[in-house]
Amino acid sequence: MSSEWPLWEVFIRGQHGLNHRHVGSLHAPDADMAIKHARDVYTRRNEGVSIWVVKSVDIAASSPSEKGPLFEPSNDKVYRHPTFYDIPDEVGHM
Amino acid sequence: MPSLPDMMTPDAEGLARQAGQGGAHAPAADADQDAFVEFLLRMGDNALILGHRNSEWCGHGPVLEEDIAMSNIALDLIGQTALWLGLAGEVEGKGRSADDLAYLRDAWDFRNLLLVERPNGDFGATLMRQFLFDAFHFLQLRALTGSADPRVAEIAQKALKEVSYHLERSAEQVIALGDGTAESHARMQAALDDQWGYAQEMFASDATDVTMAAAGIAPDPASLRKPWDDTVDAVLAQATLKRPESSFAHKGGKQGTHTEHLGYILAEMQFLQRAYPGASW
Amino acid sequence: MYAQLVKSEGKSQAELTPEDIAFQERIDRGEKIEPKEWMPEGYRKTLIRQIGQHAHSEIVGQLPEGNWITRAPTLERKQILLAKVQDEAGHGLYLYCAAETLGVSRDQLLEKLHSGEMKYSSIFNYPTLTWADMGAVGWLVDGAAIMNQVPLQRTSYGPYSRAMIRICKEESFHQRQGYAIMMKMATGTPEQKRMAQDALNRLWYPSLMMFGPSDKDSVHSVQSMAWKIKMNSNDELRQKFVDQTVPQAEYLGLTVPDPNLKWNEEKGGYDFSEPDWDEFYQVLKGNGPCNKERLGARVKAWEDGAWYRDAMVAHAKKKAARAVAAE
């Protein structure tokens, strides 16, 4: 058989009551296991967090416009993350 | 795991009442103290040796997500080890630390169940062992949250949170693998048959257990048999696995008579402490 | 770094289409490229190769340190090491997911690792022989990796950049725990000091090799840097690594195994000996001390786990079918 486990997108709401936020993806055989894996992989078991998982293929996303894909920054961000932030130089240094 | 019996709701009070029936008196004549240390070593050694076995999977798991999850379980158990053995050293009063107890005792002084020292086998066998132990560990810790000794109750409280999750996970996977394919079913049934006799040691009470129960410190393991059976039967039924009929129990681990496997675990685990005595790491 | 000798698929100036040029302008403006947006095929292929190699390095990189989990000398060291090696599995996981947004599956990438078609970093083909290697790997190998990973947080491809941000955040303790082990050893018994020096002797040059050979003549590097897939030249990072690491070794009272090591006032950095590049190419070809063991362990884990992965899927399908039937 050797079928690959489906890919899931993981959304987590932390203890501070903000919206669920996309934190990443993982593979799991079904939704129950995806939630457990999400707990192990993305929260290291913090309690009091709420986890959503959704199969990646089930996400409907807006597409880049046919006309200007090269010039307009697209809104097609299936993988929505916090915007880039700089890690201070001290990271990785002693 | 909604289909499991109600094992996630701590019934600490009920079990504490039961555990505390003989325990109105203040802790610890000398005999009681020896038994207390013995009991704490059993708790710590089970966590240590199973955590060690689970850690052998790190980097070798069947899929990344499981590799990570198994390491989490190992980390929980090694963390619990430090607490139980730390308390054992404190109660013993000879100045031995958790590390001294983990790294400087020989096999005959270890008090873990035989079940947890056996080699991992395939991933399914590891999960079956985990499930059989988790189902017991959960009940044991739930009762210990009502221990007459507040230090024991405190450790149990912390560990129970972790072990509730271990049980949820291992039960779900035993069900999935029992139900999954013909091959996985056969492997899980073989793992169950193989480990069943070792699991029975969990309920074999001895003088130490009786003393601890009388002092209200810990439940008599024999009293955990019924709820364990309920959990295990429910999970095995969903997993379409057949509960072995034999009631034979391999025994000895709790008293220090181990399988040949433990010596090799310790030879590996204690190597640095033994080769460089007194060094600080 | 974890991606060495990644072949880049750029075009010559004359072959560039208007799309290529507009794409480059987006990158030059600092925009992130996101999945499903138009990108040159060469950009996509190069990224798959690089992210894939990086991911493979994380999971093969579990093995040399995993080698000591069962022998860690205290309960605390055991926990720290286990947590660190577990993190590496997590980092592999994040990176494979980033690669998957480019239209390749994780299983496909793993197949290419197992067949030897895709590589992982040369460093993980060296053995870990003593406990001091746990210190030296954290200090030197993670130290070298971080040199590369911190700037990669600004890489042009969104999912890769986000994976690197998460990885850098989690990895901040890795190098420090390695250095802490080295400090213990360097101030410990004579045997421990000897172990620490021995680890530095063995791992110094393999660590320098992690940055790859000098890339001043490489067209691949030029293209990857223009695409902001590669943020610094190999030589630049190697120099930075040496300049950072030598004083740390001195603090430990250890000797860097290079008789030519000397502070160069003029360039404001150390002069140092090149590693043995023949050895490097031999290791990449499969002739390093542990190539067979490392790849063998990965293949075994994958093959032994096949029945497990299949059974979990089979159960999920049955469960779903039962749920439908019950409705």
Side-chain angles (χ1 to χ4, degrees):
Chain A
M1 186 162 32
S2 284
S3 45
E4 184 161 5
W5 286 3
L7 190 65
W8 300 77
E9 300 303 321
V10 180
F11 301 80
I12 291 180
R13 187 184 65 214
Q15 280 148 332
H16 303 298
L18 297 174
N19 289 326
H20 281 79
R21 196 168 63 84
H22 182 240
V23 294
S25 331
L26 50 75
H27 288 268
D30 62 17
D32 285 347
M33 288 305 297
I35 288 175
K36 291 200 166 65
H37 288 326
R39 224 176 137 191
D40 278 306
V41 172
Y42 287 106
T43 76
R44 295 293 147 83
R45 315 260 204 86
N46 278 343
E47 292 188 30
V49 301
S50 161
I51 299 173
W52 289 349
V53 294
V54 57
K55 261 191 193 167
S56 308
V57 294
D58 290 339
I59 291 193
S62 56
S63 298
S65 106
E66 291 297 313
K67 283 182 184 168
L70 312 176
F71 309 102
E72 307 287 332
S74 166
N75 291 320
D76 177 8
K77 293 188 171 68
V78 178
Y79 303 87
R80 224 177 233 292
H81 277 262
T83 46
F84 157 76
Y85 58 91
D86 258 315
I87 294 281
D89 286 347
E90 292 81 52
V91 172
H93 293 261
M94 286 304 172
Chain B
M1 256 342 1
S3 48
L4 287 179
D6 177 26
M7 55 192 190
M8 301 310 165
T9 319
D11 177 26
E13 289 164 36
L15 285 146
R17 240 178 289 122
Q18 179 201 340
Q21 268 159 10
H25 47 74
D30 282 354
D32 282 11
Q33 182 180 314
D34 289 348
F36 192 18
V37 172
E38 192 80 359
F39 159 75
L40 292 167
L41 292 176
R42 289 175 181 182
M43 295 305 296
D45 290 347
N46 279 340
L48 174 59
I49 301 301
L50 186 57
H52 182 94
R53 279 297 192 210
N54 288 344
S55 79
E56 292 174 11
W57 278 106
C58 185
H60 305 276
V63 69
L64 275 175
E65 285 80 2
E66 281 303 320
D67 204 300
I68 292 166
M70 186 57 83
S71 293
N72 270 339
I73 294 174
L75 282 168
D76 286 345
L77 289 171
I78 296 165
Q80 292 171 20
T81 302
L83 299 174
W84 290 123
L85 293 185
L87 182 54
E90 188 186 316
V91 173
E92 184 192 48
K94 293 179 186 163
R96 291 203 283 183
S97 67
D99 279 336
D100 292 338
L101 289 169
Y103 289 91
L104 299 174
R105 280 178 300 154
D106 199 350
W108 56 44
D109 287 330
F110 270 74
R111 295 292 181 261
N112 57 281
L113 298 163
L114 301 180
L115 178 71
V116 299
E117 72 198 36
R118 302 184 73 238
N120 285 339
D122 66 25
F123 201 66
T126 297
L127 290 170
M128 179 59 82
R129 178 181 64 197
Q130 190 69 38
F131 168 65
L132 296 172
F133 180 73
D134 287 344
F136 168 77
H137 201 195
F138 172 83
L139 294 165
Q140 187 185 39
L141 290 170
R142 195 172 66 174
L144 288 173
T145 59
S147 172
D149 188 295
R151 296 167 297 181
V152 170
E154 191 185 334
I155 296 173
Q157 201 78 53
K158 179 187 180 296
L160 182 63
K161 281 186 197 154
E162 297 168 346
V163 171
S164 302
Y165 184 63
H166 299 176
L167 176 57
E168 201 182 320
R169 225 176 188 293
S170 62
E172 183 164 352
Q173 300 217 69
V174 165
I175 291 170
L177 296 173
D179 177 59
T181 62
E183 180 180 3
S184 71
H185 180 87
R187 283 176 184 262
M188 295 310 279
Q189 185 66 55
L192 176 62
D193 294 345
D194 181 43
Q195 297 179 16
W196 189 252
Y198 293 94
Q200 308 313 309
E201 186 187 4
M202 299 188 291
F203 308 104
S205 301
D206 66 1
T208 298
D209 294 316
V210 171
T211 307
M212 285 298 95
I217 291 176
D220 183 340
S223 72
L224 305 177
R225 172 94 227 188
K226 173 73 175 69
W228 186 82
D229 278 341
D230 292 345
T231 302
V232 168
D233 288 347
V235 168
L236 293 184
Q238 279 192 271
T240 69
L241 294 171
K242 190 167 169 293
R243 179 187 165 114
E245 275 159 22
S246 167
S247 59
F248 174 77
H250 287 284
K251 285 185 250 182
K254 287 166 70 172
Q255 294 81 24
T257 306
H258 289 273
T259 66
E260 291 177 350
H261 304 296
L262 184 63
Y264 289 96
I265 291 178
L266 298 185
E268 195 171 327
M269 188 172 86
Q270 299 177 338
F271 152 66
L272 282 168
Q273 291 280 359
R274 301 293 193 179
Y276 303 97
S280 162
W281 304 93
Chain C
M1 66 190 76
Y2 287 175
Q4 298 158 323
L5 291 182
V6 175
K7 190 165 162 281
S8 176
E9 305 241 354
K11 296 176 182 174
S12 70
Q13 201 65 32
E15 295 170 318
L16 292 178
T17 63
E19 286 89 347
D20 290 327
I21 293 165
F23 179 81
Q24 186 61 51
E25 283 168 2
R26 285 191 62 191
I27 290 181
D28 293 343
R29 283 198 298 272
E31 288 176 24
K32 289 276 182 273
I33 310 302
E34 293 296 339
K36 292 190 178 170
E37 290 179 346
W38 187 88
M39 60 185 78
E41 193 53 18
Y43 176 84
R44 195 179 72 84
K45 281 189 177 161
T46 307
L47 264 178
I48 289 176
R49 241 177 246 149
Q50 178 171 328
I51 301 173
Q53 197 180 115
H54 195 155
H56 296 331
S57 296
E58 295 285 354
I59 65 167
V60 176
Q62 287 184 271
L63 299 170
E65 288 173 284
N67 182 36
W68 279 88
I69 289 172
T70 55
R71 288 180 288 174
T74 69
L75 293 172
E76 189 185 63
R77 290 283 176 217
K78 200 182 187 72
Q79 284 177 289
I80 293 171
L81 185 61
L82 183 53
K84 176 178 189 289
V85 181
Q86 181 198 38
D87 274 354
E88 283 153 15
H91 298 168
L93 190 152
Y94 307 154
L95 287 161
Y96 285 120
C97 287
E100 283 186 89
T101 63
L102 292 159
V104 61
S105 80
R106 184 166 88 187
D107 284 8
Q108 285 169 335
L109 289 170
L110 287 173
E111 256 167 49
K112 289 185 178 185
L113 168 68
H114 298 156
S115 71
E117 188 187 332
M118 285 183 83
K119 301 288 181 208
Y120 54 88
S121 177
S122 57
I123 188 73
F124 302 118
N125 290 312
Y126 289 87
T128 54
L129 300 178
T130 74
W131 176 252
D133 289 13
M134 296 304 97
V137 167
W139 171 38
L140 301 173
V141 176
D142 288 289
I146 288 166
M147 289 273 153
N148 181 44
Q149 290 176 171
V150 167
L152 270 178
Q153 294 176 107
R154 299 192 310 273
T155 187
S156 61
Y157 188 57
Y160 192 23
S161 159
R162 291 188 283 270
M164 293 317 305
I165 289 170
R166 183 172 266 276
I167 288 171
C168 286
K169 213 157 115 190
E170 294 186 357
E171 217 161 60
S172 57
F173 90 89
H174 290 187
Q175 191 187 12
R176 286 185 177 90
Q177 69 85 34
Y179 198 72
I181 291 176
M182 292 308 277
M183 290 202 300
K184 270 278 187 197
M185 307 290 282
T187 56
T189 66
E191 290 100 330
Q192 286 177 307
K193 278 181 211 158
R194 196 178 133 208
M195 258 184 235
Q197 182 62 52
D198 169 68
L200 176 58
N201 292 349
R202 279 182 290 105
L203 287 166
W204 173 255
Y205 287 107
S207 298
L208 295 187
M209 291 177 199
M210 286 177 68
F211 299 96
S214 178
D215 55 0
K216 54 183 178 288
D217 309 317
S218 163
V219 281
H220 299 319
S221 282
V222 171
Q223 176 62 76
S224 286
M225 286 174 82
W227 278 336
K228 292 190 189 162
I229 295 175
K230 189 179 167 76
M231 307 301 284
N232 308 83
S233 82
N234 295 349
D235 293 326
E236 195 184 327
L237 289 174
R238 189 169 14 246
Q239 182 69 51
K240 201 172 159 203
F241 174 76
V242 171
D243 293 344
Q244 175 189 288
T245 308
V246 170
Q248 292 165 357
E250 281 166 0
Y251 179 83
L252 293 170
L254 299 179
T255 309
V256 173
D258 179 358
N260 300 317
L261 188 77
K262 205 170 140 237
W263 178 254
N264 182 330
E265 195 60 54
E266 203 176 315
K267 77 172 179 186
Y270 286 91
D271 292 331
F272 57 95
S273 302
E274 290 278 304
D276 178 353
W277 292 113
D278 289 339
E279 179 182 316
F280 172 74
Y281 287 109
Q282 284 298 331
V283 172
L284 282 195
K285 257 198 248 167
N287 295 324
C290 297
N291 292 59
K292 286 195 177 62
E293 287 87 342
R294 300 292 186 243
L295 196 54
R298 289 309 320 165
V299 171
K300 183 175 188 310
W302 188 247
E303 288 176 353
D304 288 354
W307 72 270
Y308 168 84
R309 296 189 302 274
D310 289 349
M312 294 300 287
V313 171
H315 169 71
K317 283 183 180 155
K318 285 187 194 176
K319 202 166 83 175
R322 282 195 289 263
V324 169
E327 271 170 17

